[in-house]
């Protein structure tokens, strides 16, 4: 399941974050790549250990935790500290898959990558190209979102970033280990949660059928969640 999560960050929060990271020193993006993706990757990245990256990652993680839509769709157990990259002057990231396991350099963080996410930090008008292309069973989807919006997609998907031919594309990217590993089960729980919220709006949170459906949702989550 691919999901567009709008306004994870407000425009003011995007500006604040950009001021922080734009002023920091960037390095070649291949510092985080596996051997296969290193071949395809041409971009720049903010060093993980730097002060700007740490503070930026915290800001993004706080925003993710506040996003009801993100939490409902991802059912996050662990989020790898968000990283930052940028593309300019024809830079690109060719077709690849993300590594199954992501481990920090010091080994203190290790997650199974169930979901990948890109949080756009440049406005679409500020650059040409740079679409995130994600392939799933329904074909290839090209994604280019307003600054502050996020796209969530299964880490098993083949994906790429089109060459940026004008301007600069800045983004944060991250991997999520979900409490519910199976994509189909997670999608079902998300659909159910969305329907329950809609029914609760119409009928009231305490209405008997809403309470019963909420119970069913939690029973499914109890059966499927690995915590
Ligand atoms: Ni990737």
């Amino acid at each position: 399941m691919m999901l567009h999560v709008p306004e994870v960050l407000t425009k003011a929060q995007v500006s604040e974050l950009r001021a922080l990271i734009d002023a920091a020193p960037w390095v070649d993006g291949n510092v985080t790549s596996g051997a296969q993706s290193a071949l395809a990757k041409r971009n720049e990245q903010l060093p993980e250990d730097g002060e700007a990256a740490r503070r930026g990652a915290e800001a993004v993680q706080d925003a993710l935790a506040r996003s009801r839509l993100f939490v409902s769709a991802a059912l996050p157990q662990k989020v790898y500290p968000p990283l930052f990259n940028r593309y300019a002057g024809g830079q690109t990231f060719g077709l690849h898959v993300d590594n199954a396991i992501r481990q920090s350099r010091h080994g203190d963080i290790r997650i199974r990558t169930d979901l990948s996410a890109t949080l756009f930090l440049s406005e679409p008008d500020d650059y040409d190209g740079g679409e995130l292309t994600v392939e799933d069973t329904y074909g290839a989807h090209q994604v280019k979102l307003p600054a502050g919006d996020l796209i969530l997609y299964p880490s098993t998907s083949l994906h790429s970033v089109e060459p940026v031919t004008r301007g600069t594309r800045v983004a944060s990217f991250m991997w999520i280990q979900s409490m519910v590993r199976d994509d189909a089960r997670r999608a079902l729980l998300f659909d159910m949660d969305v329907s329950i919220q809609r029914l609760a709006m119409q009928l009231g949170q305490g209405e008997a059928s809403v309470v019963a459906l909420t119970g069913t949702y939690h029973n499914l989550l109890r059966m499927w969640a690995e915590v």
Side-chain angles (χ1 to χ4, degrees):
M1 179 184 68
M2 280 184 79
L3 182 74
H4 171 193
V5 184
E7 292 169 30
V8 168
L9 294 177
T10 64
K11 297 298 182 195
Q13 288 169 323
V14 170
S15 301
E16 203 178 315
L17 185 54
R18 283 292 303 271
L20 171 73
I21 62 175
D22 288 358
W26 292 65
V27 296
D28 188 289
N30 280 317
V31 288
T32 59
S33 302
Q36 185 213 353
S37 58
L39 296 172
K41 188 178 186 182
R42 283 193 293 129
N43 66 7
E44 282 188 309
Q45 200 164 304
L46 206 56
E48 256 178 88
D49 300 343
E51 174 66 13
R54 246 199 326 269
R55 282 174 49 204
E58 242 175 61
V60 173
Q61 275 193 294
D62 287 351
L64 292 177
R66 281 193 304 268
S67 167
R68 209 192 174 287
L69 191 58
F70 172 81
V71 172
S72 174
L75 296 170
Q77 182 168 38
K78 293 190 243 176
V79 178
Y80 193 88
L83 301 170
F84 298 89
N85 62 15
R86 70 181 179 197
Y87 297 78
Q91 286 179 321
T92 180
F93 198 161
L95 202 63
H96 68 283
V97 287
D98 292 344
N99 287 355
I101 305 294
R102 180 63 54 172
Q103 186 163 292
S104 64
R105 204 171 311 157
H106 310 297
D108 46 339
I109 307 164
R110 187 170 60 182
I111 72 159
R112 182 188 65 236
T113 57
D114 296 320
L115 291 161
S116 301
T118 298
L119 173 62
F120 289 78
L121 297 174
S122 297
E123 294 297 351
D125 290 351
D126 291 347
Y127 59 99
D128 289 336
E131 293 85 357
L132 172 70
T133 303
V134 180
E135 295 186 4
D136 64 15
T137 47
Y138 300 105
H141 309 275
Q142 290 215 318
V143 183
K144 188 171 184 173
L145 299 176
D149 286 18
L150 175 139
I151 187 83
L152 186 67
Y153 59 96
S155 300
T156 50
S157 320
L158 277 168
H159 58 277
S160 57
V161 176
E162 299 303 312
V164 172
T165 55
R166 177 189 63 89
T168 305
R169 175 199 195 267
V170 181
S172 176
F173 62 104
M174 65 224 77
W175 297 279
I176 300 110
Q177 180 173 322
S178 179
M179 291 187 285
V180 175
R181 181 181 190 162
D182 182 68
D183 198 52
R185 287 178 175 174
R186 200 185 317 109
L188 184 150
L189 286 166
F190 176 62
D191 286 347
M192 204 172 167
D193 189 33
V194 169
S195 296
I196 291 169
Q197 296 315 314
R198 208 168 285 156
L199 274 180
M201 293 271 280
Q202 290 167 7
L203 306 174
Q205 196 77 53
E207 205 273 336
S209 61
V210 175
V211 174
L213 274 177
T214 305
T216 305
Y217 171 88
H218 282 284
N219 285 337
L220 287 171
L221 185 56
R222 200 170 281 123
M223 194 155 52
W224 291 338
E226 303 162 57
V227 291

